[in-house]
């Protein structure tokens, strides 16, 4: 019984980097579209009795990539793979983890059900928007953190500098505290509140950031509005510089223009989502790879050894 890696179309470069780290080839397969955009999958190698890892983020176009994931899982199950691990470096729909109002869905739970029903035996993901989403799955689910990779980069860049870790909102305080502990740094919080309808948000900075190199940390940067506004508030409070370290660079809509024109020195993201051409062309955005982290976790799962030490 061996280990195989199958790549979906969402992030082939990351899958190739994982395979290179593990010194093994990607499984040959065709993932195509019929003329009406139906997904068709054909696996060109024998996977009977194999431990198969399917690498597929569910970023934009989220529904296409989600359907690819489900059809690939079904193809593997019908080809008698011994175990199918869905490797989702970025888990789409994670922001819909509760009912924000009446008559709204909990789509993260629906997606978890779909992945399980399709035939996945376990899930490996990274930096879930809400940790409790692990409980939405009825199969083993490992939630890795990009923090060790990002902290390593942070330590190289900010060695010897007065650094402060900043949460861009109240909800990210636990994450900021974890970064600060590893960096032996203080934390600050940007408290965002809207005084009344139709009036712009007021950014209050909790903590003294004057003369500090501030690092905003978050799990997702989407349109970039909150991040750029938080950076501006920090500079107004006397911060020496502001940068951001984010696990998932969703970067939709006006995000690139906002970041390019912001007061931030740079935004560091991982390759959990395939960097677009616009991302590569933006000087202020830098990408670090989580391929070794994911590869190491996959190797440990395949050999039935502990994955928990990777969380440190």
């Amino acid at each position: 019984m061996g280990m195989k890696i199958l790549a979906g179309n969402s992030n082939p470069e990351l899958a190739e980097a994982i395979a290179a780290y593990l010194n093994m080839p990607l499984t040959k397969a065709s993932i195509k579209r019929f003329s009406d955009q139906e997904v068709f999958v054909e696996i060109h190698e024998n996977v009977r009795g194999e431990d198969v890892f399917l690498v597929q983020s569910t970023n934009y176009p989220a529904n296409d990539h989600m359907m690819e994931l489900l059809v690939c899982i079904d193809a593997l199950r019908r080809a008698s793979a011994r175990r199918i691990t869905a490797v989702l470096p970025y888990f789409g729909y994670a922001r819909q983890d509760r009912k924000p109002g009446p008559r709204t869905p909990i789509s993260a739970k629906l997606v978890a059900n779909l992945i399980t029903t399709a035939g996945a035996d376990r899930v490996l993901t990274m930096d879930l928007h809400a940790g409790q989403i692990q409980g939405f799955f009825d199969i083993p689910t490992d939630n890795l953190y990009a923090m060790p990779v990002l902290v390593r980069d942070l330590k190289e860049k900010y060695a010897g500098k007065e650094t402060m870790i900043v949460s861009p909102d109240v909800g990210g305080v636990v994450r900021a505290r974890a970064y600060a502990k590893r960096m032996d740094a203080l934390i600050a919080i940007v408290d965002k509140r809207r005084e009344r309808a139709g009036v712009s948000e007021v950014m209050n900075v909790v903590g003294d950031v004057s003369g500090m190199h501030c690092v905003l940390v978050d799990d997702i940067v989407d349109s970039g509005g909150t991040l750029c506004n938080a950076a501006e508030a920090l500079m107004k409070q006397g911060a020496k510089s502001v940068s951001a370290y984010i696990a998932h660079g969703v970067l939709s809509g006006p995000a690139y223009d906002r970041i390019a024109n912001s007061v931030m020195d740079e935004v560091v993201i991982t390759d959990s989502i395939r960097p677009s051409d616009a991302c590569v062309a933006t000087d202020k955005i830098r990408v670090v790879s989580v391929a070794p982290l994911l590869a190491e976790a996959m190797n440990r799962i395949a050999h039935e050894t502990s994955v928990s030490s990777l969380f440190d």
Side-chain angles (χ1 to χ4, degrees), residues 52-116:
V52 184
F53 292 83
L54 170 57
V55 182
Q56 175 82 335
S57 284
T58 51
N59 53 291
Y60 175 85
N63 300 331
D64 286 358
H65 288 152
M66 179 62 66
M67 203 63 209
E68 272 188 21
L69 174 73
L70 300 175
V71 176
C72 284
I73 291 171
D74 189 69
L76 290 168
R77 184 170 60 87
R78 294 177 189 278
S80 301
R82 178 174 62 89
R83 181 171 65 179
I84 304 163
T85 301
V87 181
L88 293 92
Y90 171 69
F91 181 82
Y93 285 96
R95 285 174 282 184
Q96 298 184 53
D97 64 312
R98 63 195 181 282
K99 288 186 66 164
R103 296 170 296 281
T104 56
I106 303 178
S107 303
K109 171 58 177 167
L110 171 63
V111 169
N113 288 346
L114 288 169
I115 291 169
T116 306

Side-chain angles (χ1 to χ4, degrees), residues 158-222:
Y158 289 93
K161 294 181 180 177
E162 289 287 321
T163 309
M164 182 168 272
I165 303 297
V166 184
S167 173
D169 52 42
V170 175
V173 173
V174 173
R175 182 183 300 104
R177 190 179 292 128
Y179 273 85
K181 183 179 178 183
R182 286 161 175 77
M183 290 290 294
D184 194 23
L186 297 172
I187 73 165
I189 305 159
V190 178
D191 178 29
K192 176 181 67 176
R193 58 184 72 182
R194 192 180 294 277
E195 297 299 330
R196 61 182 185 276
V199 177
S200 63
E201 292 163 339
V202 177
M203 294 279 190
N204 299 310
V205 178
V206 182
D208 182 11
V209 299
S210 58
M212 304 292 282
H213 294 279
C214 292
V215 180
L216 288 155
V217 294
D218 211 345
D219 63 325
I220 294 171
V221 54
D222 191 349

Side-chain angles (χ1 to χ4, degrees), residues 45-308:
E45 294 181 25
N46 179 27
V47 294
R48 184 181 299 274
E50 301 278 9
D51 196 359
V52 184
F53 292 83
L54 170 57
V55 182
Q56 175 82 335
S57 284
T58 51
N59 53 291
Y60 175 85
N63 300 331
D64 286 358
H65 288 152
M66 179 62 66
M67 203 63 209
E68 272 188 21
L69 174 73
L70 300 175
V71 176
C72 284
I73 291 171
D74 189 69
L76 290 168
R77 184 170 60 87
R78 294 177 189 278
S80 301
R82 178 174 62 89
R83 181 171 65 179
I84 304 163
T85 301
V87 181
L88 293 92
Y90 171 69
F91 181 82
Y93 285 96
R95 285 174 282 184
Q96 298 184 53
D97 64 312
R98 63 195 181 282
K99 288 186 66 164
R103 296 170 296 281
T104 56
I106 303 178
S107 303
K109 171 58 177 167
L110 171 63
V111 169
N113 288 346
L114 288 169
I115 291 169
T116 306
T117 303
D121 295 295
R122 68 183 301 136
V123 169
L124 175 64
T125 187
M126 190 182 81
D127 279 282
L128 283 171
H129 185 63
Q132 65 266 24
I133 292 172
Q134 284 178 281
F136 291 0
F137 288 93
D138 294 323
I139 53 178
T141 302
D142 293 304
N143 180 30
L144 298 175
Y145 296 97
M147 191 187 306
V149 177
L150 296 176
V151 165
R152 198 177 308 126
D153 191 274
L154 264 169
K155 285 181 175 177
E156 287 175 9
K157 181 154 190 189
Y158 289 93
K161 294 181 180 177
E162 289 287 321
T163 309
M164 182 168 272
I165 303 297
V166 184
S167 173
D169 52 42
V170 175
V173 173
V174 173
R175 182 183 300 104
R177 190 179 292 128
Y179 273 85
K181 183 179 178 183
R182 286 161 175 77
M183 290 290 294
D184 194 23
L186 297 172
I187 73 165
I189 305 159
V190 178
D191 178 29
K192 176 181 67 176
R193 58 184 72 182
R194 192 180 294 277
E195 297 299 330
R196 61 182 185 276
V199 177
S200 63
E201 292 163 339
V202 177
M203 294 279 190
N204 299 310
V205 178
V206 182
D208 182 11
V209 299
S210 58
M212 304 292 282
H213 294 279
C214 292
V215 180
L216 288 155
V217 294
D218 211 345
D219 63 325
I220 294 171
V221 54
D222 191 349
S223 65
T226 297
L227 200 66
C228 294
N229 290 341
E232 204 166 301
L234 292 168
M235 291 301 285
K236 284 179 180 175
Q237 292 293 320
K240 191 174 284 186
S241 71
V242 181
S243 61
Y245 278 69
I246 316 288
H248 306 298
V250 175
L251 299 170
S252 62
Y256 297 111
D257 288 338
R258 282 176 174 166
I259 290 170
N261 298 319
S262 73
V263 297
M264 289 184 285
D265 289 351
E266 70 170 352
V267 174
V268 180
I269 59 173
T270 77
D271 56 354
S272 63
I273 295 172
R274 185 184 193 179
S276 66
D277 292 340
C279 178
V280 174
T282 305
D283 292 339
K284 285 192 178 182
I285 299 176
R286 182 161 58 87
V287 181
V288 295
S289 183
V290 288
L293 177 69
L294 290 165
E296 191 59 42
M298 289 161 61
N299 191 48
R300 292 183 185 198
I301 290 168
H303 291 93
E304 308 289 354
T305 57
S306 174
V307 177
S308 61

